[in-house]
């Protein structure tokens, strides 16, 4: 697959006819051309209330802010069928100077939900606010590459220029900037600074004052009950389907706010919401029974794709107070032996009922393009583990049958995970059972999540834990190797937070991550990504376990979902603008 | 009476300070803070976490944080939520109102069911009916609310299966979750009232059943005691009917402890209906409080605690005063 994210050629221009609407491809939905029906209400749900309606100051993002903000007029976008960025609110864009300069021309006719025009100033004010540390924006960190700030300037009445400190694979997500109403946020920022911005659009703000450029605008909000949207009439002026119909198709989009996923499942079975994300086989069973009984007329898609997160065991390399254990944890043969003791098949069958896949690298399985299929997998093999432990210095057995080193020190460590996560608690128990077979004593301790995180992020030469099972989420389709995780100085470099690289492979991963992020040719970057995964696997600092699979269900009259090949946790199940209700 | 009230009000101050100090201290004993989870996001730099902690004052010593917090409370400010950057007062007002609806209806249901049952048990002591009332009410006490709610939801679905087969009617007879229906905002006032009442029936019944056992047993014991007393015997000898004796002469004094306990209900009004609110997705205090606890959004948690503490103290005072009003034997000086 030939995919070029940035062209190293001097100018690569992607053009669309000026002042033409953006045409949503038929390929993004299963609906036949002309099949879509206009009108109707899509009844969605959310497990929690919005924390704020402000797109810039929230300490965390959630789905409802996404609905108001992220579906709006981003300068660039990309569909589920390709990783290539395309012009959206920009009518055209060009990439110059080795990928360090991106110039945009704003499409004509884009309006806020109150009918006022969107201007380049609306994009620029978002940049100004998000790059002000005092504004506490979630996006603040993304505006820095190698500690240098990305620059944005207005270069004309409807043109903008992004200047990046250097070539960077994560540049386009920044260039896909969303607007913010300058007449509200800009005015507040200029008169009251970041503090005034932080006070804007809290959840007590009447929702009809919240402006959006997205397909739906909020009209009613009842905390803890629901958030209702109606179609934004101005969205259809610059967004059409291939048949020229204005989008969105739906007239209303309602989000029922529930405090608990079980309550949402009850509502779904009662036919009061249109969709539900089954969490496990129990949910699937309940839905299938409801379908078979005729309670609901619904689609149930099981085992669609792996989820977009990872679960792994990490050993602490910074244990100065226990030199024997520290030396053991730093020994690659020990860690490879531990990798051989993860019985992924048992985990998949016993914990996930077969609805999971083994995971061997840091890249989420659902991000398949970047997954190196040839990394060492360290299949479950107790005998091989014993051999490797002998190489690590543990050859003898004590009276209880546990392995000891030449000094008689038993191979024993504590493996923690966050209490309350039943699946993780079971995983560490299965691992401990396997380890016992090999003669390794693993003491499992579920502990409070925050204590776990505190231990993980402690720094220095002597950190207060042996091993932890934890997971990561979040990641990029452009470059799924986080600096924070892979660089020896990274805040999420969990196994070694001393600030400097210790192992050879650790150094290699550090260097490859820096080089790969600056490699704009996607094929070449992917090759570097493969090398990173190979080095990670040889190093075995993080021992990956399994990746559960995602499931989807919706009532059959909700149509317009992604074709099944583009339907997964990374790409989503549907484009809201292309969703419709069969009448 | 007035000096008594003044003295009690004065005593509330150290009690309140002690309670808030304890609550604040306990909240600080929990490891980590709101931003610990954020630190696990690969795109967030550690210095950003530190900056956010500093901006919210979490890098200050505990006593500094406490003094600032109490100083704000005195000015009517319960602090700022970390997760929403909004004043805590805005976030907790509506859940408190919603919980009060559920709790008030459940208390009315409790009294409506428990008083007749308690009276019946007293006047038909050791009868089959008395045994059945005891058994059923203890069943209500023993079964966890959240489980009973789920059982009722399941029952509603089973009934739907029956109505579908029998009458081709495929709708649930009672709502299984939420406080209002879709389209609530477009209803008339009367329709809105009816809609909320409709949603309240099942969860209120669940909450009420938990209290029936205790209520009926105490009322039964009180009634039995009064029914055997001299003034009842006098009433009987004067030829009064059984109904008048039971309801006019025995029930009135027997119910005094419950009337006096109304003041004590104040904190329970905002205490919410517990996990029932989670199971039926009632937008009350419990979901909001649990969410805040999970996220370590401590000022939201403490906000609820402050309001609860205040109501508990005021409720106790009201209880004492009510007792004096309804029972002429009690006088404060």
């Amino acid at each position: 697959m030939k995919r070029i994210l940035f062209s190293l050629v001097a100018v690569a221009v992607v053009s669309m006819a000026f002042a033409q609407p953006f045409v949503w491809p038929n390929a993004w939905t299963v609906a036949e051309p002309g099949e879509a029906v206009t009108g109707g209400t899509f009844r969605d749900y959310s497990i929690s209330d919005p924390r704020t309606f402000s797109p810039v100051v929230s300490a965390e993002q959630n789905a409802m802010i996404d609905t108001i903000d992220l579906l709006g007029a981003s300068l660039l976008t990309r569909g589920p069928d390709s990783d290539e960025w395309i012009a959206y609110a920009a009518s055209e864009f060009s990439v110059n100077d080795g990928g360090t300069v991106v110039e945009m021309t704003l499409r004509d006719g884009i309006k806020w939900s109150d009918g006022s025009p969107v201007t380049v100033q609306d994009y620029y004010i978002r940049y100004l606010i998000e790059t002000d540390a005092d504004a506490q924006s979630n996006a603040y960190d993304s505006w820095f590459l190698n500690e240098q700030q990305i620059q944005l300037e207005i270069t004309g009445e409807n043109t903008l220029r992004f200047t990046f400190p250097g070539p960077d694979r994560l540049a386009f997500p920044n260039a896909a900037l969303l607007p913010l109403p300058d007449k509200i946020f800009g005015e507040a920022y200029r008169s009251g600074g970041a503090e005034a911005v932080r006070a804007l659009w809290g959840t007590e703000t009447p929702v009809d004052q919240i402006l959006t450029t997205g397909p739906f605008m909020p009209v009613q909000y009842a905390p803890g009950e629901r958030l209702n949207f109606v179609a934004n009439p101005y969205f259809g002026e610059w967004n059409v389907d291939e048949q020229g119909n204005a989008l969105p198709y739906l007239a209303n989009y309602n989000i029922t706010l529930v405090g608990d996923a079980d309550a949402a499942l009850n509502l779904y079975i009662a036919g009061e919401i249109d969709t539900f994300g089954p969490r496990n086989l129990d949910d699937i069973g309940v839905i299938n029974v409801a379908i078979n009984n005729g309670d609901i007329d619904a689609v149930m898609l099981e085992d669609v794709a792996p989820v977009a997160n990872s679960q792994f065991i990490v050993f602490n390399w910074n244990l100065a107070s226990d030199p024997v254990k520290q030396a053991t944890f730093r020994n690659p043969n020990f860690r490879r032996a531990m990798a051989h003791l993860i019985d992924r098949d048992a985990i998949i069958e016993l914990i996930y009922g077969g609805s999971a896949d083994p995971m061997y690298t840091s890249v989420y399985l659902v991000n398949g393009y970047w997954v190196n299929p040839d990394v060492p997998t360290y299949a479950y093999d107790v005998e091989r583990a014993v051999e490797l432990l002998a190489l690590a210095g543990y050859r003898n057995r004590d009276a209880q049958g546990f392995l000891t080193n030449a000094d008689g020190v038993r191979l024993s460590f504590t493996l923690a995970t966050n209490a309350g996560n039943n699946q993780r608690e079971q995983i560490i128990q299965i691992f401990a059972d396997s380890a016992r077979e090999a003669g390794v004593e693993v003491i499992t301790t579920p502990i409070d999540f925050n204590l776990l995180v505190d231990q993980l992020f402690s720094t220095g030469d002597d950190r207060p834990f042996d091993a932890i099972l934890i997971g990561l989420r979040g990641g990029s389709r452009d470059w799924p190797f986080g600096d924070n995780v892979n660089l020896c100085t990274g805040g999420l470099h969990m196994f070694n937070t001393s600030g400097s690289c210790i192992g050879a492979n650790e150094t290699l991963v550090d260097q490859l991550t820096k080089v790969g992020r600056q490699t704009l040719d996607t094929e070449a970057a992917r090759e570097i990504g493969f090398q990173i995964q190979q080095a990670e696997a040889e190093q075995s600092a993080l021992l990956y376990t399994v990746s559960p699979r995602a499931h989807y269900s919706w009532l059959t009259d909700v149509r317009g979902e992604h074709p099944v090949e583009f339907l997964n946790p990374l790409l989503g199940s549907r484009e809201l603008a292309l969703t419709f209700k069969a009448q | 009476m007035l000096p008594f009230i003044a003295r009690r009000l004065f005593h509330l101050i150290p009690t309140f300070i002690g309670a808030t100090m304890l609550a604040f201290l306990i909240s600080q004993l929990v490891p980590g803070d709101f931003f610990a989870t954020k630190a696990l996001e690969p795109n967030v730099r550690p210095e950003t976490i530190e900056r956010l902690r500093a901006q919210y004052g979490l890098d200050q010593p505990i006593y500094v944080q406490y003094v600032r917090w109490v100083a704000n409370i005195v000015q009517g400010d319960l602090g700022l939520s970390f997760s929403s950057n909004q004043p805590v007062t805005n976030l907790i007002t509506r859940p408190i109102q919603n919980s009060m609806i559920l709790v008030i209806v459940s208390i009315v249901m409790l009294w409506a069911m428990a008083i007749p049952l308690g009276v019946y048990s007293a006047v038909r002591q050791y009868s089959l009916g008395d045994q059945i009332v005891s058994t059923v009410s203890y069943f209500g006490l023993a079964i966890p609310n959240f489980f009973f709610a789920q059982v009722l939801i399941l029952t509603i679905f089973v009934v739907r299966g029956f109505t579908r087969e029998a009458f081709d009617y495929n709708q649930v007879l009672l709502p299984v979750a939420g406080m209002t229906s879709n389209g609530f905002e477009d209803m008339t006032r009367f329709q809105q009232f009816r809609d909320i009442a409709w949603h309240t029936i099942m969860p209120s019944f669940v909450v009420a059943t938990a209290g029936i056992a205790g209520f009926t047993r105490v009322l039964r014991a009180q009634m039995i005691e009064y029914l055997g007393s001299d003034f009842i015997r006098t009433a009987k000898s004067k030829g009064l009917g059984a109904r008048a004796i039971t309801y006019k002469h025995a029930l009135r004094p027997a119910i005094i402890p419950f009337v006096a306990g109304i003041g004590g209900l104040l904190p329970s009004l905002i205490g919410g209906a517990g996990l029932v609110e989670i199971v039926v997705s009632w937008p009350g205090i419990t979901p909001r409080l649990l969410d805040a606890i999970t996220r370590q959004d401590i000022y939201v948690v403490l906000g609820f605690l402050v309001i609860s503490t205040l109501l508990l103290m005021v409720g106790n005072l009201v209880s004492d005063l009510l007792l004096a009003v309804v029972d002429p034997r009690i006088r404060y000086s």
Side-chain angles (χ1 to χ4, degrees), chain B residues 25-153:
Chain B
L25 199 65
I26 291 170
S27 75
Q28 297 294 323
L29 290 177
V30 180
D33 59 33
F34 173 77
F35 297 103
T37 313
K38 195 173 176 64
L40 268 180
E41 293 176 24
N43 301 326
V44 177
R45 297 184 300 178
E47 51 265 42
T48 299
I49 305 294
E50 290 312 310
R51 179 169 47 75
L52 286 170
R53 283 196 172 117
Q55 282 171 343
Y56 280 96
L58 293 177
D59 58 340
Q60 299 294 316
I62 292 176
Y63 66 90
V64 173
Q65 291 185 46
Y66 175 72
V67 170
R68 278 185 186 171
W69 178 62
V70 169
N72 286 335
I73 289 177
V74 171
Q75 297 167 43
D77 176 8
L78 290 174
L80 211 58
S81 157
F82 299 135
S83 64
S84 67
N85 204 40
Q86 296 298 306
V88 168
T89 319
N90 293 352
L91 298 177
I92 67 175
T93 307
R94 190 143 174 169
I96 288 175
Q97 291 169 351
N98 293 341
S99 279
M100 285 175 78
I101 294 173
L102 193 55
V103 174
I104 287 172
V105 174
S106 67
I107 288 172
V108 171
M109 266 192 196
L110 169 65
W111 282 50
M113 290 189 287
I115 290 176
L117 290 176
V119 171
Y120 175 83
S121 288
V123 297
R124 300 272 195 281
Q125 202 180 350
Y126 305 128
S127 67
L128 180 64
D130 181 28
Q131 306 289 352
I132 291 172
V133 167
S134 294
T135 307
V136 172
S137 57
Y138 274 113
F139 178 77
L141 181 70
I143 190 168
N145 276 353
F146 66 89
F147 180 69
F148 189 38
Q150 197 63 51
V151 168
L152 287 184
I153 289 169

Side-chain angles (χ1 to χ4, degrees), chain B:
Chain B
M1 182 70 100
L2 280 179
F4 171 78
I5 295 174
R7 201 164 57 242
R8 285 290 299 265
L9 286 173
F10 183 72
H11 284 163
L12 294 185
I13 297 169
T15 310
F16 181 73
I17 291 174
T20 54
M21 194 180 283
L22 199 63
F24 195 85
L25 199 65
I26 291 170
S27 75
Q28 297 294 323
L29 290 177
V30 180
D33 59 33
F34 173 77
F35 297 103
T37 313
K38 195 173 176 64
L40 268 180
E41 293 176 24
N43 301 326
V44 177
R45 297 184 300 178
E47 51 265 42
T48 299
I49 305 294
E50 290 312 310
R51 179 169 47 75
L52 286 170
R53 283 196 172 117
Q55 282 171 343
Y56 280 96
L58 293 177
D59 58 340
Q60 299 294 316
I62 292 176
Y63 66 90
V64 173
Q65 291 185 46
Y66 175 72
V67 170
R68 278 185 186 171
W69 178 62
V70 169
N72 286 335
I73 289 177
V74 171
Q75 297 167 43
D77 176 8
L78 290 174
L80 211 58
S81 157
F82 299 135
S83 64
S84 67
N85 204 40
Q86 296 298 306
V88 168
T89 319
N90 293 352
L91 298 177
I92 67 175
T93 307
R94 190 143 174 169
I96 288 175
Q97 291 169 351
N98 293 341
S99 279
M100 285 175 78
I101 294 173
L102 193 55
V103 174
I104 287 172
V105 174
S106 67
I107 288 172
V108 171
M109 266 192 196
L110 169 65
W111 282 50
M113 290 189 287
I115 290 176
L117 290 176
V119 171
Y120 175 83
S121 288
V123 297
R124 300 272 195 281
Q125 202 180 350
Y126 305 128
S127 67
L128 180 64
D130 181 28
Q131 306 289 352
I132 291 172
V133 167
S134 294
T135 307
V136 172
S137 57
Y138 274 113
F139 178 77
L141 181 70
I143 190 168
N145 276 353
F146 66 89
F147 180 69
F148 189 38
Q150 197 63 51
V151 168
L152 287 184
I153 289 169
L154 196 61
T155 308
I156 289 170
F157 285 136
V158 170
V159 170
R160 175 177 64 175
F162 171 75
T163 57
R164 184 178 56 244
E165 295 301 321
F167 311 108
D168 200 24
Y169 182 75
N170 198 21
Q171 302 292 321
V172 287
L173 291 181
L174 278 175
V176 293
M179 192 178 86
T180 56
S181 304
N182 267 319
F184 176 83
E185 292 76 11
D186 303 321
M187 294 177 185
T188 64
R189 283 277 170 147
F190 175 72
Q191 287 171 327
Q192 289 185 339
F193 175 79
R194 196 178 55 188
D195 189 52
I196 291 177
W198 196 237
H199 282 78
T200 312
I201 293 174
M202 191 262 283
S204 294
F205 178 71
V206 172
V207 177
T209 52
I212 284 179
F215 198 118
T216 51
R217 298 311 291 179
V218 174
L219 184 62
R220 178 178 178 274
Q222 289 270 100
M223 285 286 289
I224 288 170
E225 186 187 334
Y226 284 112
L227 284 172
S229 60
D230 292 343
F231 71 90
I232 294 291
R233 199 176 309 121
T234 308
K236 279 180 183 170
S237 64
K238 288 169 76 177
L240 269 182
R243 182 178 292 269
I245 288 171
T246 305
Y247 291 102
K248 202 168 177 184
H249 294 278
L251 181 59
R252 273 193 183 177
I255 210 131
I256 282 178
F258 300 102
V259 175
I262 286 175
L265 293 174
L266 264 183
S268 77
L269 285 183
I270 85 129
L275 293 175
V276 176
E277 292 187 337
I278 302 281
V279 176
V280 302
S281 193
W282 192 268
I285 292 164
T286 313
R288 180 68 82 174
L289 183 59
L290 284 184
D291 182 58
I293 290 172
T294 310
R295 290 170 186 276
Q296 288 197 273
D297 203 348
I298 55 166
Y299 292 117
V300 176
V301 178
L302 291 170
F304 280 121
L305 288 177
V306 165
I307 302 293
S308 299
T309 308
L310 280 174
L311 285 177
L312 183 66
M313 293 189 305
V314 173
N316 281 342
L317 179 60
V318 171
S319 280
D320 289 347
L321 298 177
L322 269 179
L323 207 54
V325 171
V326 297
D327 192 340
R329 291 168 298 182
I330 296 174
R331 286 288 173 267
Y332 297 113
S333 60

Side-chain angles (χ1 to χ4, degrees), chain A residues 339-345 377-382 433-434 437:
Chain A
H340 278 296
L341 293 176
I342 300 176
D343 190 351
R344 294 180 179 84
D345 290 341
T377 56
Y378 303 103
Y380 178 62
D381 187 342
V382 177
D433 292 344
S434 303
E437 271 188 61

Side-chain angles (χ1 to χ4, degrees), chain A residues 57-84:
Chain A
V57 303
S58 67
E60 55 189 307
Q61 294 281 6
N62 68 29
M64 274 152 294
I65 301 305
D66 291 357
T67 305
I68 299 171
D69 178 51
L70 293 188
L71 295 176
S74 60
L75 289 166
L76 307 176
T77 190
R78 57 181 165 188
D81 58 339
S82 165
D83 278 349
E84 290 208 30

